[in-house]
Amino acid sequence: MPRLRIGPDENTRLRYSVPDSGLVEFELEADHPVKTYIVRPRGLELFDQGSSTFKYYGGFPEERKKQAQELRLPFEGPWYLLIVNPDKGHSVSVNLEVRY
């Protein structure tokens, strides 16, 4: 599992391509609760602009330390796993695995 470090009140986004089957799966464990969103490029743009109404296709917008999800994405092309550290005072360490 790759290990990521996300600073206080920061995020990271990992880009992937939707497989032919459309099935994707991710699992993460963090030392502090994080939020996750599976978004298309336009959703990522809206998030970066500060919108709270961007469209996401999966993830956990309610903060959690442990997350696991398997889903079928209803589109082709690129997608992003957006991981947000909402804590303004602490960095977070995240172990992550994405499968498809």
Side-chain angles (χ1 to χ4, degrees):
M1 268 190 182
R3 180 176 217 114
L4 306 170
R5 187 108 178 126
I6 305 171
D9 199 28
E10 293 184 359
N11 67 76
T12 191
R13 62 279 312 269
L14 305 164
R15 185 181 189 275
Y16 300 94
S17 292
V18 176
D20 291 339
S21 69
L23 290 174
V24 298
E25 183 178 355
F26 77 92
E27 186 174 340
L28 72 75
E29 189 169 327
D31 60 354
H32 294 285
V34 294
K35 299 178 181 185
T36 56
Y37 303 93
I38 293 177
V39 295
R40 297 178 80 171
R42 179 67 180 144
L44 187 60
E45 288 175 26
L46 292 171
F47 173 84
D48 286 341
Q49 294 169 3
S51 173
S52 60
T53 59
F54 59 93
K55 184 169 184 170
Y56 59 93
Y57 295 85
F60 296 90
E62 306 251 339
E63 303 166 25
R64 295 178 173 198
K65 285 184 175 183
K66 292 184 179 184
Q67 302 181 16
Q69 189 172 52
E70 181 179 343
L71 63 149
R72 182 180 306 273
L73 297 176
F75 56 86
E76 295 178 349
W79 65 278
Y80 292 86
L81 175 57
L82 175 62
I83 306 171
V84 179
N85 177 8
D87 191 313
K88 296 185 184 330
H90 298 92
S91 292
V92 64
S93 182
V94 178
N95 290 323
L96 171 70
E97 186 170 352
V98 177
R99 298 179 289 274
Y100 52 92

